[in-house]
Amino acid sequence: GTIVNNRTIINNGFPTGIDNRGTIVNNGAIVNNGSLKGTGSITGAGSFSGNKGTQTRPNAPAAESVGSHSVTLVPAQTTGQGATEYGYDEGDGPGNWQTSPVFTDLKPSTRYIFYTRYAGDTYYEPAQSGGTEVTTLDAAPGHIENVTVAEDNYLGADFAMPADYFAE
């Protein structure tokens, strides 16, 4: 449906609130004092006030590949309101949100918990999946990190080089 200019829909929650299963074009105003749910979207330049809607949580992500410094998740197969994002934690709560399911610069031999979320928008609250535990692989033999060669580096800065740069 369409809310035309200078018109307001006031939802006081009777009997079940708004169950949006299509698209609402808001060119007027929505005052939501009740509940807003469903899989539909709301577009338009109209105003919104009151309670944000709830949305269904995405499924927990699955790992597609795991390396010593990276994890790639299987992209989410469903979408919600707001951007689909992926994040992780090391036991301190989800964060590190990004739109790509590919994570790099991780620590080897480390337990991470990965999540998927719909970020929410003007009308809907974010919705977050449960977590999936993934442990990165051990560092590859011969991997050298944080090497400083004083005679080649007068500033004393640290640098990293892949092991295949070194000869016998």
Side-chain angles (χ1 to χ4, degrees), residues 50-97:
N51 305 323
K52 283 191 169 190
T54 58
Q55 55 181 321
T56 304
R57 296 172 6 150
N59 293 329
E64 184 173 279
S65 64
V66 179
S68 58
H69 294 278
S70 65
V71 170
T72 299
L73 303 174
V74 175
Q77 297 301 307
T78 59
T79 60
Q81 306 306 320
T84 300
E85 298 177 327
Y86 307 89
Y88 69 89
D89 71 42
E90 293 180 64
D92 54 355
N96 307 294
W97 295 106

Side-chain angles (χ1 to χ4, degrees), residues 23-114:
T23 299
I24 297 172
V25 179
N26 179 15
N27 292 325
I30 298 173
V31 178
N32 188 35
N33 298 322
S35 67
L36 170 62
K37 60 184 177 184
T39 56
S41 63
I42 301 175
T43 63
S47 67
F48 179 86
S49 61
N51 305 323
K52 283 191 169 190
T54 58
Q55 55 181 321
T56 304
R57 296 172 6 150
N59 293 329
E64 184 173 279
S65 64
V66 179
S68 58
H69 294 278
S70 65
V71 170
T72 299
L73 303 174
V74 175
Q77 297 301 307
T78 59
T79 60
Q81 306 306 320
T84 300
E85 298 177 327
Y86 307 89
Y88 69 89
D89 71 42
E90 293 180 64
D92 54 355
N96 307 294
W97 295 106
Q98 61 185 43
T99 56
S100 170
V102 178
F103 293 87
T104 58
D105 298 325
L106 301 175
K107 297 179 279 190
S109 305
T110 303
R111 178 185 158 271
Y112 293 95
I113 301 171
F114 290 90

Side-chain angles (χ1 to χ4, degrees), residues 95-147:
N96 307 294
W97 295 106
Q98 61 185 43
T99 56
S100 170
V102 178
F103 293 87
T104 58
D105 298 325
L106 301 175
K107 297 179 279 190
S109 305
T110 303
R111 178 185 158 271
Y112 293 95
I113 301 171
F114 290 90
Y115 303 88
T116 303
R117 79 172 177 183
Y118 305 136
D121 59 17
T122 301
Y123 304 102
Y124 290 92
E125 294 287 348
Q128 177 184 300
S129 73
T132 299
E133 187 175 312
V134 177
T135 300
T136 52
L137 303 177
D138 294 336
H143 183 79
I144 299 172
E145 291 187 19
N146 205 19
V147 176

Side-chain angles (χ1 to χ4, degrees), residues 147-159:
V147 176
T148 300
V149 180
E151 58 269 8
D152 293 338
N153 183 356
Y154 73 92
L155 294 175
D158 292 339
F159 62 93

